[in-house]
Amino acid sequence: MSVATELSPEIEEKRLEELNGVDAICPVRIARSPELGRFLVAFRDIFEGEVILKDTPLVVGPQAESAPVCLGCHRPVGLNEPHVCSNCGCALLCGPQCEKLPAHVNECDALRNALPNSAPLLLKDDGNWQCILPMRCFLNQPKGLFQLEAQMDARIESGAWEECERNVVKVLQKYELLKNIPEQAIQRVCAILDVNSFEVRGPPDETGRSESLRGVYPNAALMAHSCFANTHLSIGDNYTLIVKAAAKIAAGEAVFFNYTDTLISTAGRRERLRHGKYFSCECTRCTDPTELGTHLSSLRCSDQQCPGSVVCTNPLEPVAAKWKCDRCKKTIDGTVVRTGLVGVQKELLEVDQTDVLAMEELLAKLSRSLHQNHAAMLELKQALSGMYREQIMDEGPVVPTKLLTRKLEICQSLLPVIERLEPPLSRLRGITLYEIASPMVALAKQKKVSKVSSATWAVDVRNQYAKCEELLRESAKILLHEPPSAPEAHLAKVALMELKGVRQEIADLNKKCAKISKKKK
């Protein structure tokens, strides 16, 4: 099932015109099927990196559980005492300059006219950020928003209805906001936001910190879901969403986006989609017991002498199904597996994520029962990669070889999984390639200054640098697709600078190899 939108005939006709007629470059059409509903399909071959569409948001605002953000510019607030809007006496802002920004203007009047003397508590004390975006929808009345798909029946069954009742409806009623809007209408808007919104990175503050926002993009929301996506999304100026082909998409193929996280297990992905988007995914990855050969849900066989992987015989029903070793064929009940995985999640939550040794010990412990690529193992490895990165930066110019080697090992173990599950043009892949190249360059430099001067030594170091060159070039190529202001675009520039240095090192080693060769003659 897709998260494509349901539109009135008039709006759909306009959307078709926008996608198919006005912009001759747009390479997609809106198609329909019983399984996917309305979805985007390529009407010609689309090449990797090609722009599929650009979309502007109907509405943007804080996430449901957002930290405090300026309601004018959406930058984080809290490092210093935030400015309270002088007009409504409620909104937290960066300063007076944000009081008249378009995002806040309409809600400013509504907040000012709310229940006297209590509206200031709405955000300052209670932190009810979940009600901001629904309120903006009614105040701004974005054209076409209320015709988007809401999946109301499925939402009621998911339990989200009660959550919205508690955190949005009751809050708006308490402060006498949206007085004339029926509760059913508020629930529908919350459902529309859940089904159709995308995560948007907000602008950074002076420290570079930013908060995630939500934005509704009507054209992009027509992309069907797959846990094996073929698109790359980025946010440009004014929250413009740019959709590019992350791999070649042949004419007639659907345009897919992954509405959940790549490196979590099938059960975890399907649960998030049921709770957040109100559908159950049955894509090729979700129905494959091995998750396309990556084993993100697999266990190790309990027989220590058996090298097999224990996989679920029915990934769509992991608790009811049997789990079977692919070597010795030993089976385990799904209920037993679930109990064990609950314990794993408890350990992940309780481990001190500032203690590298504790994290490494937990990784070693879990490796005795989980496949090396299990989602829990990958979560630990990603956290350790970040911790080792910080340690390396703190070490200064001379970094212990052991530290660099461990950082390299962890990142290299992540890459095959990422490259199997992510398309070639993948932000995560680009970052991981750089995370591998960086310690590899440092190790090559250490080897170069080891004062060994044989031909074999020089060729070995040159080959190591050549591998670094390949990794940095590919990383920069991917990350340069990001908007110029994005952190990943800055990382691309860093990769290009390191690439220049690596190429100089290779040139120097080529000269050294030539000199050694002459001496031998």
Side-chain angles (χ1 to χ4, degrees), residues 100-386:
K100 297 300 181 184
L101 290 179
H104 177 56
V105 169
N106 285 343
E107 68 198 13
C108 184
D109 291 337
L111 291 169
R112 186 185 68 243
N113 296 324
L115 189 65
N117 302 321
S118 66
L121 299 177
L122 173 66
L123 298 175
K124 188 173 183 180
D125 295 333
D126 294 346
N128 296 300
W129 296 97
Q130 194 166 340
C131 69
I132 295 299
L133 196 53
M135 183 172 67
R136 286 181 174 179
C137 292
F138 286 106
L139 296 174
N140 298 335
Q141 296 285 312
K143 187 176 181 181
L145 177 74
F146 298 97
Q147 284 75 41
L148 299 181
E149 175 56 50
Q151 302 280 11
M152 291 292 279
D153 292 341
R155 187 170 185 273
I156 291 171
E157 295 173 3
S158 74
W161 188 281
E162 289 77 13
E163 183 180 337
C164 177
E165 174 77 17
R166 182 174 60 254
N167 297 324
V168 179
V169 176
K170 294 293 187 186
V171 172
L172 293 173
Q173 289 174 344
K174 176 182 177 180
Y175 295 104
E176 296 189 4
L177 293 159
L178 305 181
K179 294 180 183 178
N180 300 320
I181 304 298
E183 179 179 336
Q184 180 80 6
I186 298 174
Q187 287 280 3
R188 179 172 175 77
V189 160
C190 289
I192 287 171
L193 292 172
D194 287 345
V195 171
N196 298 283
S197 64
F198 289 81
E199 184 174 310
V200 177
R201 181 187 287 153
D205 62 11
E206 63 272 17
T207 69
R209 184 173 62 102
S210 63
E211 282 293 326
S212 292
L213 310 172
R214 287 203 295 173
V216 177
Y217 294 85
N219 292 328
L222 286 164
M223 290 187 294
H225 167 80
S226 172
C227 294
F228 192 63
N230 56 15
T231 54
H232 171 279
L233 271 60
S234 60
I235 306 294
D237 295 338
N238 300 317
Y239 302 114
T240 299
L241 187 147
I242 304 166
V243 181
K244 293 183 179 180
K248 182 180 177 180
I249 305 174
E253 287 185 7
V255 176
F256 287 118
F257 176 67
N258 186 352
Y259 287 88
T260 183
D261 295 333
T262 298
L263 299 184
I264 57 177
S265 66
T266 292
R269 294 192 314 279
R270 298 185 81 236
E271 176 60 27
R272 290 192 187 187
L273 290 168
R274 280 193 298 267
H275 181 75
K277 299 294 184 181
Y278 316 123
F279 71 91
S280 295
C281 183
E282 297 184 9
C283 70
T284 53
R285 179 182 170 189
C286 286
T287 53
D288 181 354
T290 70
E291 297 204 34
L292 305 179
T294 60
H295 291 281
L296 260 79
S297 300
S298 301
L299 314 177
R300 285 191 62 179
C301 185
S302 58
D303 182 350
Q304 297 301 310
Q305 303 304 313
C306 177
S309 300
V310 179
V311 301
C312 183
T313 56
N314 181 5
L316 302 184
E317 297 290 343
V319 178
K322 291 287 186 181
W323 291 60
K324 182 186 287 188
C325 176
D326 59 7
R327 293 291 185 92
C328 71
K329 309 305 179 184
K330 180 179 179 179
T331 62
I332 312 173
D333 286 342
T335 52
V336 175
V337 173
R338 179 177 63 177
T339 300
L341 293 176
V342 168
V344 168
Q345 288 303 315
K346 185 172 184 291
E347 290 190 274
L348 287 172
L349 289 171
E350 292 177 351
V351 68
D352 183 356
Q353 296 211 7
T354 65
D355 186 337
V356 171
L357 181 59
M359 297 281 280
E360 286 281 16
E361 288 175 347
L362 181 57
L363 185 67
K365 177 184 176 182
L366 296 183
S367 70
R368 295 193 287 270
S369 58
L370 303 180
H371 191 282
Q372 64 176 354
N373 291 342
H374 191 278
M377 299 285 284
L378 299 184
E379 181 179 338
L380 279 170
K381 288 178 181 180
Q382 285 184 297
L384 280 166
S385 173

